[in-house]
Amino acid sequence: MINGLFNLENKVAFITGGGKGLGFQIAEAFASAGCHIAICSRKRETCQESAGKLADKYNIKAMGYGCNIQSEDEVKTVVEQVLGDFGQVDILVNNSGATWGAAFEEMPLEAWQKVMNVNLTGTFLMTREVGKHMITRRTGKIINIGSAAGVKAEPPEVLNAVGYSTSKAAIHHFTRDLARKWAQHNIYVNAIAPGFFPSDMTKHVLSKKGEEIKQHNPLGRIGDDHALQGAALFFASPASDFVTGQVLSVDGGSTL
């Protein structure tokens, strides 16, 4: 009974930014539960390589795609491709993200717009297109990747990226609002707000402030390669069938 709560056999998950980092960790957690995997990013070759590894290791169907989620046309095209290849999408993970580190007064407009276009508009576009399919089937789980930075303001010496923080706070409210709107379609919308994890996006900050960040974290550490997987599997699986519109912080207590 309990094992069945986390079973994803014969489900299909579509994960943006799933070729590496946190997105790939989530994809692997789903694949280990029997889920078929579609992953996309701007680097199609990376996604195809990662998909091949998942297919070989877990004996599931996995495919990689190229997509710039800032482009409405590319989002529509890749969703059509995934539906053509898999026949359905049961789980959508909006993981693709961008950041820009700079003092607010020095942030160029184009940097602000890029962060908003990737983190917020890209999530809107992908959710809208996949959501149309989910509404037709009257089922679906959507997981948005927010951030602890969208919950708590950090001092500039730790994180100086107001555009990123603002975009992630918007993702949290987007999650709540859409969950309320789409509950009538039996579509669940939840979010995960990770704290500091090793990734391409955080490597500069962690290289300079990693030990200080650990010292100020209640659990005394940063996230590892598995710390996000349980939360993602919970939101994707039947275990969360009475949970929607929630933002779960996975941060070692840093937002307390």
Side-chain angles (χ1 to χ4, degrees):
M1 174 62 180
I2 295 299
N3 288 341
L5 288 176
F6 298 94
N7 186 355
L8 295 180
E9 288 183 6
N10 299 318
K11 300 294 186 181
V12 176
F14 186 19
I15 303 167
T16 70
K20 60 182 180 178
L22 299 183
F24 181 76
Q25 292 169 23
I26 292 171
E28 186 162 32
F30 292 175
S32 71
C35 192
H36 303 300
I37 302 295
I39 52 179
C40 77
S41 75
R42 296 185 71 166
K43 297 181 179 179
R44 181 168 60 91
E45 294 78 10
T46 299
C47 290
Q48 291 176 328
E49 181 180 347
S50 297
K53 292 177 181 177
L54 293 175
D56 291 342
K57 184 174 181 180
Y58 296 103
N59 194 30
I60 50 94
K61 181 176 181 178
M63 298 182 69
Y65 304 83
C67 179
N68 175 5
I69 64 169
Q70 301 175 74
S71 166
E72 184 175 21
D73 289 340
E74 289 193 33
V75 168
K76 289 181 177 180
T77 297
V78 76
V79 172
E80 290 175 358
Q81 290 174 337
V82 171
L83 290 175
D85 291 333
F86 288 86
Q88 65 193 59
V89 174
D90 302 284
I91 303 151
L92 171 65
V93 181
N94 288 305
N95 171 69
S96 289
T99 190
W100 187 281
F104 180 73
E105 64 273 17
E106 298 173 0
M107 181 177 290
L109 175 60
E110 58 268 26
W112 173 273
Q113 291 173 329
K114 176 186 176 181
V115 171
M116 292 297 169
N117 285 342
V118 174
N119 296 356
L120 195 53
T121 303
T123 294
F124 158 72
L125 290 172
M126 189 63 71
T127 302
R128 186 186 65 181
E129 293 310 308
V130 175
K132 292 174 184 177
H133 164 73
M134 290 179 170
I135 288 171
T136 299
R137 295 180 65 225
R138 290 197 55 78
T139 184
K141 300 259 184 165
I142 298 171
I143 305 168
N144 298 320
I145 304 303
S147 174
V151 178
K152 173 189 176 185
E154 295 283 2
E157 60 270 17
V158 174
L159 183 67
N160 210 6
V162 175
Y164 175 80
S165 301
T166 302
S167 71
K168 291 301 186 179
I171 287 294
H172 298 165
H173 190 74
F174 172 86
T175 297
R176 298 185 186 98
D177 205 348
L178 190 60
R180 186 67 184 87
K181 304 297 192 293
W182 279 4
Q184 63 181 315
H185 302 301
N186 199 39
I187 297 172
Y188 300 75
V189 189
N190 291 292
I192 300 173
F196 278 102
F197 281 73
S199 69
D200 288 347
M201 192 177 292
T202 62
K203 62 184 179 182
H204 178 72
V205 172
L206 292 178
S207 68
K208 294 182 175 298
K209 296 288 183 178
E211 289 305 313
E212 182 179 340
I213 290 169
K214 290 179 184 179
Q215 290 173 9
H216 285 88
N217 186 286
L219 292 183
R221 54 192 173 91
I222 60 173
D224 59 28
D225 290 348
H226 305 290
L228 206 66
Q229 292 180 320
L233 185 56
F234 169 69
F235 280 140
S237 69
S240 62
D241 276 357
F242 200 51
V243 180
T244 195
Q246 301 305 303
V247 180
L248 176 60
S249 293
V250 182
D251 61 4
S254 67
T255 53
L256 293 174

